[in-house]
């Protein structure tokens, strides 16, 4: 889904509370290639969980990332978090023309959106025929407050770039998965563990049937470190990687990580149980992780046990060529955190 025009080419730009990441892809036939990539720290207090608070500061970070990457594209695809979006599959008569469908979707949207329509940006996509009634078609409706779109446009504009598409993070992650992976017949959960937020998108085939965001992420580890050793957030970030064992022992760090990932698994299990209450026969066989938390082996192992599923870390470059300009170890290191960025950049391919 998108809010904006379908124009090429695009920079995939992922703006989070911890970093600004961008990637530029090219396409030759069915082959994709990485042209540029970079990341910059997000300026302190410039981004909250849902909102861009200081668009000018974020714009400067984007500008630095573009310069470092040497990116040439000036049109951008960005994303909003799932909890800032309203998604709903609605049914419409299959006989509707494209023009009539747009009008009917807007009428229906008013029933599902708890805000005045003049404050909302929305879009839709036809999924296909309804399984129960061939005279109906399923349509995916996505909406968000216009302020969420405008905040991202302002930050991108401050960097001297143009916003062409505003996607939803879970759908961007789905784009990445579809390029590199075969979903087969299994139900698959795509879970992105970010700095302060985790998004869950459950797929049946190539269709998203359940989305949820929860307020948990890697910054919880930092906060527990801070409470234990009384340090700054940046110092906690270094201690998290075992850089100073004299201040934080390996045993204490392991205990902190174990506590946090246990909480993650509990919350994810609750979300999965909610899904099962609606789809009791659709057991999830595979979980694909992305984001910073995907690199924590203890989390992967515990989640596999809790969810009774195969758990793996996504490789967003699986279906994409990366040449020798990029260090393979660097690509391996950034891969889990680059998944949403890649999915946004792929929109220039998917929307041709």
């Amino acid at each position: 889904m998108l809010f904006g025009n379908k124009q090429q080419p695009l920079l995939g730009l992922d703006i989070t509370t911890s970093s600004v990441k961008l990637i530029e892809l090219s396409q030759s036939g069915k082959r994709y290639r990485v042209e540029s990539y970079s990341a910059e720290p997000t300026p302190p207090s410039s981004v909250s969980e849902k909102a861009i608070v200081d668009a000018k500061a974020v714009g400067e970070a984007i500008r630095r990332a573009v310069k470092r990457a040497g990116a040439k594209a000036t049109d951008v695809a960005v994303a909003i978090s799932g909890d800032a979006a309203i998604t709903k599959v609605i049914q419409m008569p299959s006989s509707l023309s494209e023009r009539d469908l747009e009008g009917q979707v807007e009428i229906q949207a008013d029933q599902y959106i708890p805000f005045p329509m003049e404050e909302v940006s929305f879009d839709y996509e036809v999924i296909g025929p309804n399984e129960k009634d061939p005279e109906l078609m399923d349509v995916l409706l996505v909406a968000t407050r216009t302020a969420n779109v405008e905040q991202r446009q302002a930050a991108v504009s401050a960097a001297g770039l143009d916003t062409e598409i505003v996607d939803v993070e879970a759908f961007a992650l789905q784009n990445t998965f579809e390029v590199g992976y075969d979903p087969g017949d299994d139900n698959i959960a795509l879970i992105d563990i970010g700095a302060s937020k985790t998004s869950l998108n459950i797929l049946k085939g190539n269709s998203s049937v359940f989305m949820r965001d929860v307020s948990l992420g890697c910054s919880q580890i930092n906060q527990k470190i801070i409470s234990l050793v009384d340090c700054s957030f940046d110092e906690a970030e270094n201690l998290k990687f075992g850089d100073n064992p004299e201040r934080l022992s390996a045993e204490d760090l392991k205990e902190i990580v174990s506590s946090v990932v246990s909480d993650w698994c509990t919350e994810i299990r609750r979300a999965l149980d909610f899904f099962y209450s609606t789809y009791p026969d659709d057991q999830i066989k595979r979980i694909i992780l992305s984001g910073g938390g995907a690199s924590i082996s203890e989390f992967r192992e515990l989640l596999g046990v809790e969810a009774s599923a195969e758990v793996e870390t996504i490789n967003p470059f699986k279906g994409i060529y990366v040449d020798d300009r990029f260090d393979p170890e660097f690509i391996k290191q950034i891969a889990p955190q680059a998944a949403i960025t890649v999915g946004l950049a792929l929109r220039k391919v998917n929307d041709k």
Side-chain angles (χ1 to χ4, degrees), residues 196-235:
S196 60
K197 178 177 54 60
T198 291
S199 66
L200 169 68
N201 183 13
I202 297 179
L203 308 180
K204 294 180 67 174
N206 285 327
S207 297
S208 174
V209 296
F210 180 86
M211 287 174 50
R212 172 163 291 189
D213 279 13
V214 291
S215 297
L216 55 85
C218 296
S219 62
Q220 290 176 282
I221 298 175
N222 298 59
Q223 294 297 340
K224 283 186 175 291
I225 292 173
I226 291 169
S227 65
L228 183 64
V229 302
D230 189 22
C231 63
S232 69
F233 191 90
D234 289 341
E235 289 172 328

Side-chain angles (χ1 to χ4, degrees), residues 260-309:
V260 171
V261 301
S262 178
D263 290 343
W264 292 353
C265 290
T266 298
E267 289 301 319
I268 291 170
R269 181 68 218 187
R270 286 174 181 167
L272 295 179
D273 286 344
F274 188 83
F275 167 76
Y276 290 138
S277 69
T278 305
Y279 302 94
D281 298 324
D282 293 331
Q283 293 298 301
I284 294 167
K285 303 296 185 182
R286 295 172 64 194
I287 296 176
I288 311 294
L289 296 177
S290 61
S295 301
I296 302 175
S297 59
E298 183 178 351
F299 170 53
R300 297 194 301 269
E301 294 166 3
L302 182 59
L303 182 60
V305 173
E306 289 281 333
S308 300

Side-chain angles (χ1 to χ4, degrees), residues 28-200:
S28 177
K30 294 184 178 181
R31 193 181 194 188
Y32 317 123
R33 168 180 168 148
V34 176
E35 296 295 337
S36 63
Y37 174 88
S38 67
E40 285 286 326
T42 304
S45 304
S46 62
V47 179
S48 71
E49 291 183 8
K50 298 180 184 179
I52 294 178
V53 179
D54 189 339
K56 183 176 180 180
V58 173
E60 287 301 314
I62 297 170
R63 190 188 298 272
R64 290 193 297 271
V66 169
K67 183 177 181 180
R68 175 177 292 184
K72 297 178 181 179
T74 58
D75 291 336
V76 173
V78 295
I80 60 174
S81 62
D83 58 352
I86 297 167
T87 61
K88 179 73 175 178
V89 176
I90 59 178
Q91 283 69 47
M92 291 287 175
S94 302
S95 59
L96 287 175
S97 67
E98 186 173 341
R99 177 176 295 180
D100 290 340
L101 175 62
E102 183 175 355
Q104 288 300 311
V105 167
E106 184 168 2
I107 293 172
Q108 286 262 22
D110 194 29
Q111 302 177 32
Y112 301 109
I113 299 172
F115 314 116
M117 289 302 292
E118 60 268 20
E119 298 177 7
V120 171
S121 293
F122 74 94
D123 208 336
Y124 64 92
E125 183 174 273
V126 176
I127 299 173
N130 182 266
E131 291 183 359
K132 297 180 180 179
D133 188 343
E135 294 187 0
L136 297 176
M137 57 183 168
D138 292 334
V139 178
L140 178 62
L141 170 69
V142 180
T144 188
R145 282 185 178 273
T146 301
N148 294 322
V149 176
E150 291 175 342
Q151 290 166 4
R152 282 149 183 81
Q153 289 175 321
V156 171
S157 295
L161 304 172
D162 297 312
T163 304
E164 288 298 325
I165 290 176
V166 180
D167 207 329
V168 178
E169 290 174 355
F171 293 154
L173 184 57
Q174 184 176 343
N175 288 344
T176 300
F177 174 77
E178 290 175 355
V179 165
Y181 293 78
D182 178 9
D185 297 325
D186 292 337
N187 299 313
I188 296 171
L190 306 179
I191 300 178
D192 185 81
I193 310 285
S196 60
K197 178 177 54 60
T198 291
S199 66
L200 169 68

